[in-house]
Amino acid sequence: MPVVKVTDRQGTEHEVDASTGRSLMETLRDLDYGVAAICGGMCSCATCHVYVAPDWIERLPPAQSDERELVGELAHCQAASRLSCQIQVTDALAGLRVTVAPEE
Amino acid sequence: MNATMRAIPQADLDLFSEASLRDPFGDYRRLRDLGPVVRLRRPDVYAIGRFADVQTALRSSEALISGEGVGFSDAFNAPKGMNVIQSDGELHRRLRGTIVKPLFPAALRDARADLKAMIVARVGSLVGAGWFDAMKGLASFLPVEAISHLVGLPEVGRERMLEWAAAAFNVIGPRQAETDLAALKDAFAFMRGLNEETVRDGSWAGQLFAAARTGRLSMQEAMAAMSAYVIPSLDTTILAKGHLLRNLATHPEQWALLREQPDRITAAVLEGVRHSSVLRWFSRVAVADYAVEDCIVPAGQRVMLLYGCANRDERHYPDPDRFDINRDARDHLAWGTGAHMCAGMHLARLEMEVLLEALVEARVQLTAGEPVVGANSGLYGFTGLPLRIDAA
């Protein structure tokens, strides 16, 4: 299980075991750091919004058009914004750092 | 049948009888207790009513498709694959991607202050005014005075949106009244007649025509997407607000708690739509044999997914009939889940949050009389709710 670093909405960083073969959202939702993921990972609700650390943005598979468009409609959208339901966890993600975005 | 598979129980429940429509919760419990999926006789469909199974089904949009229609009638299901809620796959993604734009938080951020100011003034005018009908006087205020302007229809359409919404949600059921069919026909004729000149520039309807102009959607698709704004944007939130007002008025301890802890307003809104979900159900068609726990729905059959029933499932929410703003109801299914999850949910939440903020800030007590419960086939809600708002 790759270890990822998650900063919650209070600014505390946690080292978290992310399970491969699932989306990052599923790991974050289980931890209750504020990722509600109310649509269940279908790229519909944008309640699993995270900011990816700058040095990791290029290392993730790029967002598809539906994810890019949805993220663009969020009040807290930034260049580093991703929907964690669209990030599949692999061993290559060991060391990934993300911050849970504010609630919309 | 595979030996490990269980026969699907049958039930003679008539969820569309007037008595059940007005008070469905006893039938909902019977349905959940019968099994994970139950074959109904009228209409002849496979009903899924437990929380976990409805949630899974709604997230299985490739196995349970919407393109064969999400109602029970040809009248509603007819425009197969040509509107947002009755399409699948890439077409659905494209239509939805366009219609959600004005309904997402970034676009709504600017509207919030205006909506708040409007509802504060409205609440202020009702304090100490004695009994009034909260459905007409308060719940429908923002939808009629503000949201209908955002949709951007010309006057004649704006005035009929509530009538068309009630008709459309009635027509999804197994039996149709002639008056509803006629109203729905009018609605579609009206929508077909819209063009970029007749809708308000910059409105939601206007941006659909703009999407057609820039080639993002075909004109046919833009017209098809129009119903997503015209039909469900007013009635659903009006009815949800009616439930919320009554629940708070009839649970004074919850209302007192909310006044002390206004940071629970978000939670109160979500608990409100969980406890009294407006949208009763939609249907899907199984493209292959579909397993619900140890039961198999055969390929080609229609399943009924009961949102309001799932939200009262004691297997998921302890003491589910209790309205409790301390409950974590974030995973409720009132707005569905999965690819077809309500595109207007952020707006619905915003409308209800500013209403509760206005009431909390007004320092009032709420008193409700007996509501008149409607019998719409698709929507559970009040047609009248006597309410008093008095200085606390």
Side-chain angles (χ1 to χ4, degrees), chain B residues 39 128 131 141-142 160 179 197 206 222 268 278 281-282 287 296 324-325 386:
Chain B
R39 186 158 187 186
W131 290 103
F141 178 69
L142 285 180
R160 295 194 67 186
T179 47
E197 278 68 52
V278 171
W281 59 276
F282 273 135
V287 293
I296 295 284
D324 178 3
I325 66 168

Side-chain angles (χ1 to χ4, degrees), chain A residues 38-40 44 69 73 75 104, chain B residues 101 105-106 216 330 337-338 349:
Chain A
I38 52 180
C39 80
S44 298
E69 289 186 10
E73 306 304 331
E104 290 289 328
Chain B
K101 281 182 174 295
R216 190 188 153 84
R330 283 178 299 175
T337 183
R349 215 177 70 175

Side-chain angles (χ1 to χ4, degrees), chain B residues 307-328:
Chain B
Y307 305 167
C309 176
N311 280 336
R312 294 283 188 107
D313 186 359
E314 43 289 282
R315 293 157 194 80
H316 187 75
Y317 296 111
D319 199 5
D321 296 335
R322 184 178 146 73
F323 172 75
D324 178 3
I325 66 168
N326 281 322
R327 191 193 298 273
D328 182 356

Side-chain angles (χ1 to χ4, degrees), chain B residues 183-242:
Chain B
L184 196 59
K185 218 171 140 189
D186 284 354
F188 281 105
F190 174 82
M191 285 189 266
R192 274 195 303 274
L194 293 173
N195 59 56
E196 198 157 10
E197 278 68 52
T198 52
V199 302
R200 188 170 65 76
D201 202 27
S203 66
W204 303 348
Q207 56 93 31
L208 280 181
F209 286 113
R213 186 164 19 86
T214 59
R216 190 188 153 84
L217 296 180
S218 70
M219 184 53 85
Q220 194 190 8
E221 288 166 353
M223 298 302 282
M226 194 67 73
S227 62
Y229 292 141
V230 175
I231 302 297
S233 54
L234 305 187
D235 232 19
T236 49
T237 56
I238 293 172
L239 298 176
K241 279 178 265 186

Side-chain angles (χ1 to χ4, degrees), chain B residues 348-380:
Chain B
R349 215 177 70 175
L350 189 162
E351 281 185 53
M352 286 186 271
E353 284 177 3
V354 294
L355 170 63
L356 293 192
E357 286 168 17
L359 288 167
V360 165
E361 288 161 17
R363 300 165 179 275
V364 290
Q365 55 181 2
L366 305 169
T367 315
E370 272 307 301
V372 182
V373 187
N376 187 284
S377 297
L379 304 178
Y380 170 65

